[in-house]
Amino acid sequence: MPNAEILSIGTELLLGDVLDTNSQFLSQQLAHLGIDCFWRTTVGDNKGRIKEALKIALDRSDIVITTGGLGPTADDLTTECIAELLGAPLELDEDVLARIREYFRQRGITMPDSNTKQAMRPRGAELVPNRTGTAPGIFFAVGKESLEYADIASPENSRVIVTFPGVPSELKAMWKEIAGEKLRERFVPSAIWSCELKHVGIGESALAEMYEDLLSLPNPTVAPYAGTGECRLRVAAKAETLEQARQLAMPVVEKIKERSGIKCYGTDDDTLEVVVGRLLKERNMTLAVAESCTGGLVSKRLTDISGSSKYISLNVVAYSNDAKERALAVPGEIIEKYGAVSPQCAEAMAWGIRRAAGADIGLSVTGIAGPEGGTPEKPVGLVYLGLSAEGFYAGKQLNYFNQLERREIRFRTSSEALNMVRIFLLEPAWLAS
Amino acid sequence: MPNAEILSIGTELLLGDVLDTNSQFLSQQLAHLGIDCFWRTTVGDNKGRIKEALKIALDRSDIVITTGGLGPTADDLTTECIAELLGAPLELDEDVLARIREYFRQRGITMPDSNTKQAMRPRGAELVPNRTGTAPGIFFAVGKESLEYADIASPENSRVIVTFPGVPSELKAMWKEIAGEKLRERFVPSAIWSCELKHVGIGESALAEMYEDLLSLPNPTVAPYAGTGECRLRVAAKAETLEQARQLAMPVVEKIKERSGIKCYGTDDDTLEVVVGRLLKERNMTLAVAESCTGGLVSKRLTDISGSSKYISLNVVAYSNDAKERALAVPGEIIEKYGAVSPQCAEAMAWGIRRAAGADIGLSVTGIAGPEGGTPEKPVGLVYLGLSAEGFYAGKQLNYFNQLERREIRFRTSSEALNMVRIFLLEPAWLAS
């Protein structure tokens, strides 16, 4: 099996000014392709060290993927270093130059001379087009024995370098469009089809236990991954063609969906807010949220989705008791008798926001996110959720006692709240139990 | 000058399951100490490759800092690999073992046998205590010429390895407590005192231009850094003692604060939400927010701060026109005549939320975050802010036309909104102009 190495280039990384999310993205993509990644290296914008890192990487890896250093300025050195190391003369690519000129023309700017540099490519390199920025990447073969550039068309030249810009959105777009496919064709004799089944309301170890029978399957493979407040089962099948691989995987995917039932909330790019939005649109229903301890996070997540105005009209962050009474018509006696962090208050808030917004569903969150504000009876991490709809009410208690910090309590609570809406839209009876 | 290399160890990193934030943290800390970091490497939980990576790192770097691989399980190999590579026998540290036992005892658990492993340390290693977890780090000297362990007390043994666990909170606590200091003493002959001056409402290049006279200073040095919707000037001074360094830097810090005026919103750990919260508490004032396009993000950021209930009572996310009319008493005619994305509507929203919440300050946000919803007259990225207080109103228009995606438009808008409150609390006249 071929193995890959990721080489991140940029002094801003080594100074800690920029968090290297590109390496994580590429690692995930390689894992999904079934290509091992044994090494990742980061170097600054320094010619000597970039060449040294390339040399070390080519010595121990079949595929070297670089990010960064493709810009127009003097400290963007990646292409130059590859050309020098492999003795491949840099040549001006007129097509690329025309495309870069066009990129600037469309934005009403004359192309700065420095951008000509981005149209230079080492002899023998194939281009990886960049449709969202100016710097294309290259796909470049290295001879089997020596550090020399080789014919990219010949598959026996098994070592390759692929370059990407450091801008995450450009890198992702380029990967999706072409690079993954190019690597797959060349290095993965079989096609891999994979699918992630996203779960909520069950921990990683419980999930692993539930699917013990599938975790040892050879093909498709099934593996659990943990996330924050949720976890995933990844099903991956290998076959000669993608379609064959898909057909191999689908029975297992279906089996998991059936066994997990409502605990499986979606696949791949789905998030809880995406799924909730989709269900609300399908059912032509509206939602309104009243938040206390999450302070707007549930609302923020729901409205992260473009087009959420179709089902969200009004949300309220009622932090104080007074606000709960005034904006949500929570009776003062409830707060007095049971406190603002109580099942009773959650119920009144859910009812109140539904009425205030004229929405089909009212969702409420009240709790203590800490680190201040806890008491022995109501410790930090105690949260109540409520969901009100026509002829329906369900409440839920969450206990994150002394285990999590404020940020995580708030995020997990927001996921539980979104999940409550999802379950209500799918199987309301499940909530009542 | 000594240089450092960061070695992240863990297969979960190479699979992309975990984002390597430790490397960024360590990079920043090294930069602040004035120690160059030229390389970062990531390897999986594999003995051969960990030793190989350590060897390469020791060949080219004076300081090798590892993270990860200190846990109790079979795939935690860092300490073992160091011991093997340098021929230092592993010895049981009874004090450490007692401390680990105590850690479990306090949590009412019997220590699993596997944790004994965490009390093993290579002969000659000094400990870096871990007060928040079970795995202590080690501080270990390597001989000048050969790959052998050496006397840590002798400063001429100039190569060292420092190990940290992979849990970010443990790593940070250990670094703060001891490791930074240990490295500083050994490798940085002078003390470095530094301070970041955080700016908002001015771009990085404008800031660099404004401080052209200071950017070439030799000691203290002044350097600009860009962030999302804000930027920083870092002032760093070297001297024999920390106090002398501070005294050297302070006149420049004061000069910057004076010249930047209101554009400098804080230092170091300050964020806009922290500063706004502090000012509100100082002035004993309350704030209420009415959001449309930011959908709860301003409210979420304000309530990220523990204790924000002292100045936040009620915030409203009014996404629809109807919600703006009902919850914020925005007159229907205003929306009909000018639209919901208009200076007039922002003003009515700010006034409406202030009244609804009974707050001292009402802040409003209305705009088009996209990618849907734009028109030729009101394109995606057009946002209006409003701030209402007793006898005061100020509005502001933001234009992120076709430049940014939804997430960034929303985040930058939330920063501008928070900054508007900050300026109101400091120099309201500045807003009116």
Side-chain angles (χ1 to χ4, degrees):
Chain A
M1 271 298 292
N3 72 302
E5 172 153 356
I6 298 165
L7 178 56
S8 304
I9 299 169
T11 302
E12 70 281 11
L13 296 166
L14 292 179
L15 289 172
D17 288 335
V18 172
L19 180 62
D20 185 5
T21 57
N22 287 336
S23 284
Q24 183 186 29
F25 171 79
L26 291 169
S27 295
Q28 287 169 340
Q29 297 302 316
L30 289 167
H32 290 184
L33 280 179
I35 295 174
D36 285 325
C37 172
F38 290 145
W39 299 88
R40 291 196 323 217
T41 308
T42 307
V43 281
D45 302 313
N46 172 287
K47 241 182 178 180
R49 283 189 289 272
I50 294 173
K51 286 203 270 185
E52 170 80 14
L54 281 166
K55 206 163 155 293
I56 294 174
L58 286 167
D59 269 357
R60 62 192 178 192
S61 309
D62 306 297
I63 302 163
V64 178
I65 300 178
T66 75
T67 74
L70 299 188
T73 63
D75 62 358
D76 289 303
L77 299 164
T78 304
T79 313
E80 215 172 312
C81 286
I82 294 172
E84 280 184 22
L85 183 69
L86 301 173
L90 279 173
E91 294 169 336
L92 182 72
D93 187 314
E94 293 289 351
D95 288 350
V96 174
L97 187 61
R99 227 174 294 154
I100 299 176
R101 272 193 214 287
E102 177 60 19
Y103 177 95
F104 281 99
R105 204 196 51 78
Q106 279 179 6
R107 283 157 181 77
I109 313 166
T110 311
M111 188 192 86
D113 281 344
S114 57
N115 285 81
T116 309
K117 179 173 164 174
Q118 297 184 299
M120 302 299 287
R121 60 180 174 88
R123 186 177 294 169
E126 242 180 65
L127 285 175
V128 181
N130 180 345
R131 295 185 206 286
T132 52
T134 57
I138 58 168
F139 192 81
F140 197 76
V142 181
K144 222 170 174 167
E145 305 297 333
S146 63
L147 271 186
E148 276 179 5
Y149 73 102
D151 183 5
I152 190 84
S154 161
E156 75 212 36
N157 290 317
S158 57
R159 291 188 292 175
V160 300
I161 302 175
V162 197
T163 69
F164 288 94
V167 182
S169 59
E170 296 180 18
L171 178 144
K172 282 183 190 169
M174 286 164 71
W175 179 274
K176 277 210 173 144
E177 203 182 333
I178 195 154
E181 201 52 33
K182 263 186 195 293
L183 292 178
R184 209 185 58 70
E185 268 170 28
R186 199 175 188 102
F187 292 100
V188 190
S190 46
I192 293 192
W193 185 90
S194 73
C195 173
E196 288 199 336
L197 294 136
K198 296 192 161 178
H199 286 68
V200 66
I202 181 168
E204 191 194 6
S205 47
L207 194 67
E209 219 166 278
M210 184 172 167
Y211 286 103
E212 217 188 336
D213 55 327
L214 301 183
L215 297 188
S216 50
L217 286 183
N219 190 22
T221 57
V222 178
Y225 297 93
T228 303
E230 57 175 83
C231 48
R232 298 164 281 143
L233 273 183
R234 182 167 178 266
V235 179
K238 277 188 198 186
E240 242 178 69
T241 68
L242 200 63
E243 183 48 31
Q244 285 168 351
R246 201 186 67 84
Q247 284 182 13
L248 205 60
M250 278 318 282
V252 176
V253 169
E254 292 307 327
K255 188 181 282 180
I256 293 173
K257 279 187 178 169
E258 205 192 309
R259 199 186 295 174
S260 291
I262 197 128
K263 289 197 164 71
C264 174
Y265 76 79
T267 56
D268 297 327
D269 289 339
D270 286 341
T271 61
L272 280 169
E273 45 271 38
V274 163
V275 172
V276 165
R278 198 159 56 211
L279 289 170
L280 287 166
K281 272 199 278 188
E282 276 171 22
R283 284 157 176 68
N284 207 13
M285 289 176 89
T286 57
L287 170 67
V289 189
E291 299 178 67
S292 183
C293 63
T294 42
L297 178 56
V298 180
S299 178
K300 183 252 171 204
R301 286 181 65 181
L302 282 164
T303 59
D304 275 340
I305 313 300
S306 178
S308 48
S309 56
K310 291 203 177 57
Y311 45 87
I312 298 285
S313 163
L314 172 72
N315 296 330
V316 164
V317 176
Y319 232 47
S320 69
N321 293 347
D322 183 55
K324 290 181 183 79
E325 291 182 33
R326 283 217 272 172
L328 303 169
V330 174
E333 310 89 75
I334 284 189
I335 296 178
E336 218 166 284
K337 196 164 168 196
Y338 305 103
V341 179
S342 65
Q344 292 83 359
C345 185
E347 180 163 359
M349 285 170 70
W351 190 85
I353 186 65
R354 183 159 78 89
R355 190 164 166 280
D360 298 310
I361 304 167
L363 174 71
S364 67
V365 184
T366 180
I368 301 153
E372 298 171 17
T375 65
E377 296 81 42
K378 297 193 175 173
V380 167
L382 175 66
V383 180
Y384 293 98
L385 307 178
L387 189 150
S388 159
E390 181 72 41
F392 181 95
Y393 180 76
K396 185 168 186 184
Q397 181 178 340
L398 309 175
N399 309 312
Y400 300 120
F401 304 155
N402 301 320
Q403 289 167 39
L404 304 174
E405 56 178 25
R406 180 178 181 86
R407 214 168 61 130
E408 209 167 350
I409 288 175
R410 289 181 18 129
F411 186 79
R412 284 176 188 253
T413 296
S414 72
S415 293
E416 289 277 358
L418 292 172
N419 193 40
M420 206 168 169
V421 177
R422 184 184 70 90
I423 294 175
F424 170 74
L425 292 168
L426 292 171
E427 293 186 28
W430 213 82
L431 279 185
S433 65
Chain B
M1 270 297 291
N3 71 301
E5 171 153 358
I6 298 165
L7 178 55
S8 304
I9 298 169
T11 302
E12 71 281 11
L13 296 167
L14 292 179
L15 289 171
D17 288 335
V18 172
L19 179 63
D20 185 6
T21 55
N22 287 336
S23 284
Q24 184 187 28
F25 172 79
L26 291 170
S27 295
Q28 287 169 340
Q29 297 303 315
L30 288 167
H32 289 184
L33 280 179
I35 295 174
D36 285 325
C37 172
F38 289 144
W39 300 88
R40 291 198 320 219
T41 307
T42 307
V43 282
D45 301 313
N46 173 288
K47 239 181 178 182
R49 284 191 288 273
I50 294 174
K51 285 203 270 185
E52 170 80 15
L54 281 167
K55 206 163 154 292
I56 294 174
L58 286 167
D59 269 356
R60 62 191 179 192
S61 308
D62 306 297
I63 303 163
V64 179
I65 301 178
T66 75
T67 73
L70 298 188
T73 64
D75 62 357
D76 288 303
L77 299 163
T78 304
T79 312
E80 217 172 312
C81 287
I82 294 172
E84 281 184 21
L85 183 70
L86 302 174
L90 279 173
E91 296 169 334
L92 181 73
D93 187 313
E94 295 288 351
D95 287 349
V96 173
L97 187 61
R99 227 175 293 155
I100 298 176
R101 274 195 212 286
E102 176 60 19
Y103 177 93
F104 281 98
R105 203 195 53 75
Q106 280 180 4
R107 282 156 183 78
I109 313 167
T110 312
M111 187 191 88
D113 280 345
S114 58
N115 284 82
T116 310
K117 182 174 163 173
Q118 297 184 300
M120 303 298 288
R121 58 180 176 88
R123 185 177 295 165
E126 242 179 65
L127 285 173
V128 182
N130 180 347
R131 295 186 206 286
T132 53
T134 56
I138 57 168
F139 193 81
F140 196 76
V142 181
K144 222 169 176 167
E145 304 297 332
S146 63
L147 273 185
E148 278 177 5
Y149 74 101
D151 183 5
I152 191 84
S154 159
E156 75 213 37
N157 290 318
S158 56
R159 291 188 292 175
V160 299
I161 301 175
V162 197
T163 70
F164 289 94
V167 181
S169 59
E170 295 181 17
L171 178 143
K172 281 182 191 168
M174 285 164 71
W175 179 274
K176 274 208 177 147
E177 202 182 333
I178 193 154
E181 200 53 32
K182 263 185 193 294
L183 293 178
R184 209 185 59 69
E185 268 170 26
R186 196 173 189 102
F187 292 102
V188 190
S190 45
I192 293 191
W193 186 91
S194 74
C195 173
E196 288 199 336
L197 293 136
K198 296 191 160 179
H199 286 69
V200 65
I202 182 168
E204 190 193 6
S205 47
L207 194 67
E209 217 166 280
M210 185 171 165
Y211 286 103
E212 219 189 331
D213 55 326
L214 300 183
L215 297 188
S216 50
L217 286 184
N219 191 17
T221 58
V222 178
Y225 298 92
T228 303
E230 56 175 84
C231 49
R232 298 164 281 145
L233 273 183
R234 181 165 179 270
V235 179
K238 279 188 198 185
E240 243 178 71
T241 69
L242 200 64
E243 182 49 31
Q244 284 168 351
R246 201 186 68 83
Q247 284 183 10
L248 205 58
M250 279 318 282
V252 176
V253 169
E254 291 306 328
K255 189 182 280 181
I256 294 172
K257 281 187 178 169
E258 203 191 311
R259 201 187 293 174
S260 291
I262 197 126
K263 288 196 164 72
C264 175
Y265 76 78
T267 57
D268 297 326
D269 290 338
D270 286 341
T271 62
L272 279 169
E273 46 270 39
V274 163
V275 172
V276 164
R278 197 159 56 211
L279 289 170
L280 287 166
K281 272 199 279 188
E282 276 172 20
R283 284 158 176 68
N284 207 14
M285 288 176 90
T286 58
L287 169 67
V289 188
E291 300 180 65
S292 183
C293 63
T294 41
L297 178 56
V298 179
S299 178
K300 183 251 171 207
R301 286 180 65 181
L302 282 165
T303 60
D304 275 340
I305 312 303
S306 178
S308 47
S309 55
K310 291 206 176 57
Y311 45 87
I312 299 285
S313 162
L314 171 71
N315 295 330
V316 165
V317 176
Y319 232 46
S320 70
N321 292 347
D322 184 55
K324 291 180 183 79
E325 289 180 34
R326 282 216 273 172
L328 303 169
V330 174
E333 311 90 74
I334 283 188
I335 296 178
E336 218 166 283
K337 195 163 170 195
Y338 306 104
V341 180
S342 64
Q344 293 82 0
C345 185
E347 179 162 1
M349 286 170 69
W351 190 84
I353 187 65
R354 183 160 77 90
R355 192 163 164 279
D360 298 311
I361 304 168
L363 174 70
S364 68
V365 184
T366 181
I368 302 153
E372 298 170 16
T375 64
E377 296 81 43
K378 295 190 175 173
V380 167
L382 175 66
V383 180
Y384 293 98
L385 306 178
L387 190 149
S388 159
E390 180 72 42
F392 181 94
Y393 181 75
K396 185 168 185 184
Q397 181 177 341
L398 309 175
N399 309 310
Y400 300 119
F401 304 152
N402 301 319
Q403 290 166 39
L404 303 174
E405 57 178 24
R406 181 177 181 86
R407 214 169 62 128
E408 208 167 353
I409 289 174
R410 288 177 22 124
F411 187 80
R412 284 177 189 254
T413 296
S414 72
S415 294
E416 288 277 358
L418 292 172
N419 193 39
M420 206 168 168
V421 177
R422 185 184 69 92
I423 294 176
F424 170 73
L425 293 168
L426 291 170
E427 293 187 26
W430 213 81
L431 280 185
S433 66

